[in-house]
Amino acid sequence: MRTAIFTVLALVAFAMNSILCRLALGAGAIDAASFSGIRLGSGAAMLLLISLALRRGIPRVEGGHWVSSSLLFLYAIGFSLAYVSLSAGTGALLLFGTVQATMLMAVLRSGERPHALVWCGLCLALAGIVYLVLPGLTAPPLVRSSLMVLAGVSWGLYSLRGRRATDPLLETTYNFIYALPLAAVAVLALSGGLHASAKGVMLAVLSGAIASGVGYVIWYEALKGLTATRAATVQLSVPLLAAAGGALLLSEGLTTRLLISAVLILGGVGAALAGRARKR
């Protein structure tokens, strides 16, 4: 029951990231660079407070952070820039489909001989992503979709590096802190288009401190009771939660293209995960 509660709370937090970002950027309440910087900064502050609360002091972690922090920054900035025009459901579908495809391809590259279901599922998921962004009246903007794919690849690689972490909370805290200089550079580079209202700042803080900072801590607790395959499988519900939230809170419609793509991507990734589990 404890694992189930933490899992549900973490998945809701991940979906809320998409909804909060879309609420802020879709309405023009803040620009993407400022949203990313505030999100990373508030996330770092919250993780730092949680780390201090759980420990008498924060030990230094040596090495490896700049690579992970750069991937974290690429995920955050790509995520924000994409959601300027993508709907919450479309963005989440592209993000999590790309994340899972990236991690599965990394497994294939490592030399693992996969079950036939893995190959079929991976091809099906990639076909769903391609179908979603094919030109047409209901296709999302290609540039924004490409930015979300970049965010997904970055998050997938970041997650693969994080699997080696001996203290995920501590290392995530440092990764957020080390990503702040990169966010500052992005803000300076895009200073001509900077703007932020009180609503935009509040949404960015909620995204960083609650949906990201607290959400990741809850997810780490949930992972203690989940196998790797189950952890990957339950994340497939995030795009559906984001799409439902977008429809309820943002009045975003569910297009036929989005629904077909969701079946292809989520079904493909699910089949690939089932194939890995069967092979084991």
Side-chain angles (χ1 to χ4, degrees), residues 111-250:
E112 181 177 319
R113 296 175 63 86
H115 191 278
L117 268 177
V118 175
W119 287 110
C120 294
L122 185 57
C123 291
L124 195 63
L126 293 175
I129 293 175
V130 171
Y131 172 71
L132 181 62
V133 299
L134 279 176
L137 292 177
T138 58
L142 182 59
V143 173
R144 303 297 178 181
S145 299
S146 300
L147 287 167
M148 189 60 84
V149 169
L150 171 64
V153 171
S154 300
W155 186 254
L157 295 175
Y158 177 85
S159 300
L160 288 169
R161 289 180 58 83
R163 292 169 65 184
R164 301 193 296 266
T166 55
D167 190 336
L169 173 59
L170 182 62
E171 296 198 22
T172 301
T173 301
Y174 275 111
N175 288 336
F176 267 76
I177 293 172
Y178 287 9
L180 293 180
L182 297 174
V185 171
V187 169
L188 290 175
L190 301 173
S191 58
L194 297 182
H195 64 278
S197 65
K199 176 184 176 181
V201 171
M202 179 191 70
L203 291 170
V205 170
L206 288 174
S207 176
I210 306 302
S212 297
V214 175
Y216 295 161
V217 173
I218 294 173
W219 179 240
Y220 295 144
E221 288 298 314
L223 286 177
K224 295 178 182 178
L226 295 172
T227 63
T229 301
R230 286 180 179 174
T233 303
V234 296
Q235 289 184 71
L236 300 181
S237 64
V238 174
L240 304 181
L241 292 173
L248 292 173
L249 301 176
L250 304 173

Side-chain angles (χ1 to χ4, degrees), residues 40-58 169-170 172-174 176-177 205 208-210 213-214 217:
L40 289 171
S42 57
M46 178 60 75
L47 288 167
L48 193 60
L49 289 173
I50 294 173
S51 297
L52 285 171
L54 296 178
R55 299 175 173 87
R56 293 183 178 180
I58 299 182
L169 173 59
L170 182 62
T172 301
T173 301
Y174 275 111
F176 267 76
I177 293 172
V205 170
I210 306 302
V214 175
V217 173

